């Protein structure tokens, strides 16, 4: 079985539009059994997500989608859970994409399991020395000092390294992902369903391919000495998803996106691939299973 995989098309961003159209044309001309889109296809406007999915109308095989963090960015009055559970799956089904976050699938004995994944700061860069409250609010001390509404994070100063006041980074999920729960609780919520999907596919499949947006292993997180990128590593994924994957021997491949960095690592029995699209350079991988 031939699976085409791509991610992070960001069709809502001007410089991604043309490269995405070109990539979609190339993918539609391929002869393959399945297409996996691994999230961040668009942002809050589901009309743009719909347009992006329809670029693949001519693809002859089955089409699957997992949400990215950008699909969970909520419009006023919405929640991210509503988008994950209802709005995005409805757009997917209408465009002939199977929403893997909600339901796993099976093709000729190969199980397909997907999740947006999330982060619990287990991949944070320890060398920054930042207290957890900055990760929980998704803002570094320099930005917290500059932007209104975060002064309470700076009241206690003893645990903030001197250098950290020059770190101006902010992870924008903090402003737009309205989870209604902590990041760790959201991971637990997703993990419960993910483990359930893995178990049901393990019972009926000879092999399982997992599609995720966020990263399941630290080895896939790009390292950087730049504090802005180092701060972002906390939001790349969670080791809890990696543990769930390693516990299921039928999982052969894990495909992910989110970091915009192409990478491949082997982890025990797993082959992990990040397709690594950037905003301007789109690419796909082909997997033979
Ligand atoms: Fe992305
Ligand atoms: Fe992302």
């Amino acid at each position: 079985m031939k699976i085409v995989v791509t991610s992070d098309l960001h069709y809502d961003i001007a410089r991604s539009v043309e490269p995405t159209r070109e990539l979609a044309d190339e993918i539609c001309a391929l002869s393959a059994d399945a297409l996996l889109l691994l999230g961040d296809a668009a942002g809050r406007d589901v009309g743009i997500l719909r347009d992006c999915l329809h670029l693949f109308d001519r693809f002859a095989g089955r089409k699957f989608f997992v949400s990215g963090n950008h699909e969970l960015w909520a419009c006023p009055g919405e929640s991210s859970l509503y988008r994950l559970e209802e709005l995005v799956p409805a757009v997917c089904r209408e465009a002939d994409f199977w929403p893997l976050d909600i339901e796993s699938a099976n093709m000729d004995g190969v199980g397909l399991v997907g999740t947006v994944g999330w982060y619990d700061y287990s991949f944070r860069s320890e060398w920054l020395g930042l207290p957890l409250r900055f990760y929980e609010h998704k803002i570094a001390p320099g930005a917290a000092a500059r932007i209104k509404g975060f002064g309470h994070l700076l009241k206690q100063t003893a645990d903030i390294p001197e250098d950290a006041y020059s770190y101006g980074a902010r992870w924008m999920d903090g402003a737009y992902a309205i989870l209604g729960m902590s990041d760790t609780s959201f991971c637990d919520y997703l993990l419960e369903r993910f483990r359930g999907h893995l178990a049901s596919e393990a019972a009926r499949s000879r092999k399982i391919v997992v599609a995720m947006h966020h990263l399941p292993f630290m080895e896939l997180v790009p390292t950087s000495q730049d504090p802005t990128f180092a701060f972002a590593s906390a939001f790349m994924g969670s080791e809890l998803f990696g543990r769930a994957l390693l516990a299921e021997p039928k999982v052969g491949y894990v495909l992910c996106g989110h970091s915009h960095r192409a990478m491949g690592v082997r982890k025990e029995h797993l082959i992990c691939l990040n397709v690594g699209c950037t905003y301007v350079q789109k690419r796909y991988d082909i997997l033979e299973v």
Side-chain angles (χ1 to χ4, degrees):
M1 190 168 84
K2 201 188 258 192
I3 300 174
V4 184
V5 54
T6 188
S7 184
D8 295 273
L9 298 177
H10 290 284
Y11 198 51
D12 56 323
I13 291 176
R15 63 191 193 278
S16 283
V17 169
E18 212 36 56
T20 295
R21 287 185 184 148
E22 284 167 19
L23 180 95
D25 282 346
E26 254 182 78
I27 286 176
C28 287
L30 295 170
S31 159
D33 303 291
L35 168 64
L36 299 180
L37 291 194
L38 304 184
D40 282 4
R44 294 194 282 180
D45 184 343
V46 289
I48 300 177
L49 172 63
R50 186 178 294 118
D51 291 345
C52 182
L53 298 181
H54 279 298
L55 295 176
F56 299 93
D57 280 349
R58 288 180 295 110
F59 181 77
R62 284 179 68 184
K63 293 174 281 190
F64 301 89
F65 188 80
V66 293
S67 282
N69 54 315
H70 285 248
E71 271 76 35
L72 303 198
W73 284 14
C75 296
E78 279 179 353
S79 74
S80 296
L81 265 188
Y82 160 71
R83 292 181 65 93
L84 176 70
E85 310 280 347
E86 293 178 46
L87 186 61
V88 172
V91 173
C92 286
R93 289 186 184 110
E94 197 186 293
D96 200 25
F97 273 79
W98 182 287
L100 281 175
D101 288 282
I102 304 303
E103 206 178 343
S104 62
N106 195 284
M107 286 180 76
D108 300 329
V110 176
L112 294 168
V113 173
T115 177
V116 57
W118 203 250
Y119 42 79
D120 56 3
Y121 333 125
S122 50
F123 297 159
R124 68 185 179 277
S125 303
E126 295 282 0
W127 64 267
L128 289 175
L130 294 181
L132 268 182
R133 63 183 182 278
F134 290 99
Y135 294 108
E136 286 160 354
H137 289 81
K138 303 174 194 175
I139 193 161
R146 200 182 66 235
I147 298 169
K148 238 172 122 178
F150 295 98
H152 62 289
L153 300 177
L154 302 166
K155 278 211 173 107
Q156 188 190 335
T157 55
D159 60 353
I160 304 174
E162 190 80 355
D163 286 355
Y165 291 97
S166 67
Y167 305 160
R170 190 175 183 198
W171 190 253
M172 292 312 292
D173 286 355
Y176 301 123
I178 311 297
L179 301 179
M181 64 183 96
S182 69
D183 293 311
T184 49
S185 297
F186 190 48
C187 279
D188 290 342
Y189 173 80
L190 294 171
L191 272 162
E192 192 181 335
R193 183 162 55 194
F194 184 55
R195 289 197 189 99
H197 287 181
L198 282 175
S200 50
E201 288 312 319
R204 63 173 180 170
S205 312
R206 60 185 159 82
K207 199 175 214 54
I208 298 172
V209 175
V210 169
M212 297 183 62
H213 182 69
H214 290 78
L215 311 177
F217 297 112
M218 185 76 169
E219 290 87 335
L220 291 160
V221 177
T223 53
S224 176
Q225 298 307 306
D226 178 326
T228 296
F229 289 105
F231 182 69
S233 71
F235 310 103
M236 287 294 108
S238 158
E239 61 190 14
L240 295 176
F241 288 88
R243 274 189 226 148
L245 290 166
L246 290 172
E248 178 42 67
K250 284 193 178 172
V251 179
Y253 296 94
V254 186
L255 311 166
C256 48
H258 187 54
S259 69
H260 297 197
R261 183 82 64 87
M263 209 179 271
V265 301
R266 213 190 157 94
K267 190 85 184 170
E268 298 182 22
H269 63 283
L270 300 176
I271 294 171
C272 316
L273 297 172
N274 191 322
V275 70
C277 290
T278 67
Y279 289 114
V280 290
Q281 282 190 311
K282 306 299 177 186
R283 52 184 304 281
Y284 61 85
D285 285 322
I286 295 181
L287 199 66
E288 294 268 7
V289 184

